[in-house]
Amino acid sequence: MAGDRTRERPRSQASAGDLLHLVRSGRAITRGALQEATGLSRATVGQRLDRLFRAGWLREGAGGPAGSPTGGRPSLRLEFDDAHAVVLAVSLDTRHARAAVLTLTGELLAERSGALSVDEGPERVLGALGGWFAGLLKEAGRSADAVCGIGLGVPGPVDTATGRVVQPPIMPGWDGYDIRGRLGRAFAEQAGGEGGSGDAAGVPVLVDNDANLMAYGEQRTGHPDCAAFALVKVSTGIGAGVVVGGQIYRGIDGGAGDIGHIRVPEGAGTLCRCGSYGCLAAVASGRALARRLTEAGVPAESGSDVRELLAEGHPEAVRLAREAGRSVGEVLATVVTLLNPGVLMIAGDLAGTPFLTGVRELLYQRALPRSTAHLDVVIARLGERSALVGAGALVVEHLYAPDRAEERLAALGL
């Protein structure tokens, strides 16, 4: 969730955006509660709520469960109206993509997945995603004009200030590319062809690392009270997302969580795609296991192939997955000791019992007992949709944060 800006601004100066945040967070859901929380007069609260009503962002619902202390009628509840716009969310993996239309509260309206390789380069891949958008909106029964933002998760480190990936080990040709601009143009081109108003060119595009978005989506939907949450994605590569205090932790330039390129002893002499030797991803990722399976006479090209073999109970795949889990678990012992999370979630192609068993074996053996005493080690609940949910939430939190909401209201002339 966005930070509680009402505590940064004097109560008497609480804006319409602050009131919206109080309603969305559940801290104040009636006019009276807003007056109490902000110190604003009844008339001022009414004026600021009127701006939100006219924008279509708030609505009044059924009365609360109890009347006023003086025995009056129950107050009408204020609710965030998630029907006034939709979000486009995309999760891009190395060989596969998934896209969806979501409501502002995360309900999935339409979804598509298919083969799409990052090796084809950003121009082609992002253009193809733009082509997906038109069909998804048609399926969802919404026009391009209803889209308020686009969220994209990519398998590489992202400078969120610019939306550009920075030296991505497994995304050749993407380093420094203007992802926001290209995806925005691809959407606008499709919107023009679908009878949009022409405003689509101004739709904001937010880009983040896929593991970050997976962690954000899973934490918000399944573990909202967990103050320190970590997710490890093990697919073609290995990466981690961390959510602290309800916010994604990215480090100073988006590099946090790139645990796949920590050097491990068992990787000595093994070349990683990043150009270094001995990286965790070179020995324990889905790509690494696919290579080892192929060498053993079991054809596999990627993490998704390994996932299928694991689903079939293939003994060699099961053995290698458990072994990979032990390698990752040894690295995670340090991560857990440093972060002291309440939940450690395993996601991606290798997320399953063999890999999880290996992680637990080494993690509990190597980490400090105090660090694991209150730790839950679990498998991702949302599966392949976790990054979509996280991408949608990221867009909504950006657009409806107090200051940004004020800017948007002013742009609407409200």
Side-chain angles (χ1 to χ4, degrees):
M1 297 290 287
D4 188 350
R5 303 300 296 273
T6 58
R7 290 187 293 184
E8 301 173 9
R9 186 182 284 116
R11 294 204 317 164
S12 60
Q13 296 179 21
S15 66
D18 290 318
L19 268 57
L20 177 66
H21 172 65
L22 288 169
V23 173
R24 291 188 61 235
S25 66
R27 288 188 54 212
I29 58 172
T30 65
R31 292 171 184 260
L34 288 172
Q35 287 177 242
E36 183 178 349
T38 62
L40 297 176
S41 69
R42 180 177 180 178
T44 302
V45 166
Q47 290 168 359
R48 293 180 182 175
L49 287 178
D50 183 61
R51 298 174 65 200
L52 299 171
F53 288 135
R54 285 189 286 148
W57 297 357
L58 280 187
R59 64 189 173 205
E60 287 185 316
S68 70
T70 59
R73 291 182 303 172
S75 300
L76 289 176
R77 294 170 60 95
L78 297 168
E79 302 172 348
F80 182 57
D81 189 344
D82 71 341
H84 70 271
V86 294
V87 174
L88 289 169
V90 183
S91 174
L92 182 63
D93 212 331
T94 53
R95 297 160 57 97
H96 184 269
R98 185 175 295 270
V101 180
L102 303 173
T103 68
L104 300 182
T105 49
E107 179 186 353
L108 191 145
L109 300 178
E111 182 180 20
R112 173 177 173 176
S113 63
L116 198 59
S117 174
V118 294
D119 288 345
E120 296 180 28
E123 185 73 20
R124 182 180 178 86
V125 169
L126 297 174
L129 289 174
W132 288 19
F133 292 155
L136 284 167
L137 287 168
K138 183 176 182 181
E139 182 182 341
R142 303 302 294 264
S143 71
D145 293 338
V147 177
C148 65
I150 302 171
L152 171 66
V154 297
V158 176
D159 179 350
T160 54
T162 64
R164 299 171 188 250
V165 291
V166 182
Q167 299 178 357
I170 56 176
M171 298 179 71
W174 290 72
D175 186 21
Y177 184 84
D178 182 15
I179 296 175
R180 287 178 179 171
R182 178 66 184 102
L183 190 56
R185 289 192 302 274
F187 170 67
E189 290 163 4
Q190 293 298 320
E194 291 296 311
S197 67
D199 294 333
V203 170
V205 178
L206 274 64
V207 185
D208 209 327
N209 171 262
D210 57 354
N212 284 347
L213 295 181
M214 293 172 76
Y216 197 45
E218 293 280 1
Q219 187 270 339
R220 287 172 59 88
T221 58
H223 305 273
D225 297 325
C226 182
F229 177 97
L231 177 144
V232 179
K233 177 192 176 188
V234 188
S235 291
T236 298
I238 300 176
V242 177
V243 179
V244 177
Q247 302 290 319
I248 297 173
Y249 178 75
R250 301 183 178 90
I252 60 170
D253 61 4
D258 202 4
I259 65 170
H261 300 285
I262 293 175
R263 307 289 177 83
V264 292
E266 59 269 38
T270 304
L271 179 65
C272 179
R273 287 196 70 183
C274 73
S276 297
Y277 286 87
C279 295
L280 178 64
V283 296
S285 66
R287 185 191 299 274
L289 266 60
R291 184 190 70 247
R292 294 174 65 183
L293 284 165
T294 299
E295 292 171 351
V298 183
E301 295 183 7
S302 65
S304 59
D305 293 335
V306 177
R307 178 179 60 195
E308 292 176 5
L309 289 168
L310 288 171
E312 296 168 1
H314 191 284
E316 183 64 6
V318 169
R319 184 187 71 79
L320 290 176
R322 182 166 179 170
E323 185 179 304
R326 289 173 59 86
S327 296
V328 173
E330 186 157 11
V331 170
L332 290 179
T334 300
V335 172
V336 165
T337 301
L338 176 66
L339 294 179
N340 189 208
V343 175
L344 173 62
M345 182 171 282
I346 306 299
D349 290 330
L350 300 191
T353 300
F355 186 87
L356 187 65
T357 299
V359 167
R360 285 175 168 160
E361 285 178 3
L362 261 290
L363 174 62
Y364 287 105
Q365 182 184 120
R366 300 294 172 83
L368 292 172
R370 188 182 184 285
S371 300
T372 58
H374 303 289
L375 175 68
D376 289 329
V377 184
V378 299
I379 291 176
R381 185 177 66 90
L382 298 176
E384 295 183 343
R385 290 177 174 166
S386 57
L388 296 179
V389 173
L394 189 72
V395 170
V396 172
E397 293 305 325
H398 169 73
L399 292 178
Y400 296 93
D403 289 343
R404 180 64 175 142
E406 278 298 307
E407 294 173 3
R408 295 176 65 213
L409 287 170
L412 291 170
L414 299 174

